[in-house]
């Protein structure tokens, strides 16, 4: 489990929060639409883009007229889910 967390942290450190979205959103999509890759891939693209748009809107609306960094908000929303994935046996 420690190796998985270190590798995921390294990937996010290299490519930023977009890589973190790429690690978590396909798992969320698989929970929602099943295991058929013909539907996972387009739904992952749509859900990932919607997640970024709504996180951006949230980061602008939480403390106006200032903005919270988008990567910080994405991390606050995604880290608990990623830790759940890292701890689960599935």
């Amino acid at each position: 489990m420690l190796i998985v967390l270190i590798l995921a942290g390294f990937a996010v450190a290299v490519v930023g929060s977009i890589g973190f979205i790429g690690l978590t959103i396909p798992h969320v999509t698989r929970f929602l639409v099943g295991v058929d890759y013909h539907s996972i891939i387009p739904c992952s693209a749509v859900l990932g883009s919607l997640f970024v748009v709504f996180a951006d809107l949230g980061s602008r609306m939480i403390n106006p007229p200032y903005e919270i960094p988008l990567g910080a908000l994405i991390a606050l929303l995604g880290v608990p889910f990623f830790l759940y994935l890292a701890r689960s046996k599935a």
Side-chain angles (χ1 to χ4, degrees), residues 17 50-77:
S17 61
L50 286 174
F51 182 69
V52 171
V53 167
F54 286 123
D56 184 48
L57 286 173
S59 71
R60 292 171 191 248
M61 293 172 51
I62 289 175
N63 190 18
Y66 306 106
E67 291 183 24
I68 296 173
L70 182 61
L73 188 61
I74 288 174
L76 284 174
L77 297 173

